[in-house]
Amino acid sequence: VTSFIAGSGNSYFNGGNVGIGTTSPNNELEILSSGSPRISLRTTSETVGEALELGFQVGTGTNSSTNSVGIIKADITQASPSALKGDLVFQTNSGDSVNTKMVIKDNGNVGIGTTSPSPFNWGNKHLTCLASGSNQYFGLDIIGSGNGAGAVIFGGGSGSGAATNIARAQISALDGSHLVFSTNAINSGSSFTERMRIDSAGNVGIGTTSPASEANLSLAANSTTEGGHLVLFKGTSQTQ
């Protein structure tokens, strides 16, 4: 085992594992602490455009796109005298070319396939997925297990006045290949009531979970005193 520690220039350990807080490291570098161990990368200057990088390489040559498997970067986006801000950038190698695949912006927006999430500047927090290139498709797979459903839930809460943690609506794909649209009937809690269904045969049911196979659209009453209605109107007046 050869080791060399210099006050300036290169230092190295050649052979064996290195332990910090332990005399029996099981890996090349192992840190043991009774608290919360932390590895820090620091730069001496606070300059917009600078980055702190953690690279994953193969081989022993100089870092390049031909031996870099991936890189995680913390980019400084705002610096002194203003409050410090930064983006977290994830890059992978897609053929001797290391490119950004995902970014978490300093405002909390997340981009996959784009470094500029929230292209329409609507709302406050966004996950933007972009398929780059010409005529490319982007897919979002939501898959349940076994007979379980895949669902998208829309809600509100976490301190927005009295409306705290409300599940407001849901779109789900149920066992049997039915697409179901549900809403929260009491605008409170997390219970849903099914409002519309497109079954596997293409039949549409509103207010019913069993649309008639003889019809493309089935309307059911929402109470014992009301019938099913289909209202057609123009403008802003709902005159039947």
Side-chain angles (χ1 to χ4, degrees), residues 140-185:
L140 175 63
D141 300 319
I142 303 175
I143 304 173
S145 175
N147 295 330
V152 178
I153 298 175
F154 305 89
S158 297
S160 56
T164 301
N165 298 329
I166 299 173
R168 294 197 170 109
Q170 176 178 272
I171 302 174
S172 54
L174 303 183
D175 183 42
S177 298
H178 310 304
L179 188 62
V180 173
F181 300 81
S182 305
T183 63
N184 188 324

Side-chain angles (χ1 to χ4, degrees), residues 1-4 12-18:
V1 177
T2 302
S3 63
F4 179 77
Y12 59 86
F13 292 89
N14 187 7
N17 298 330
V18 177

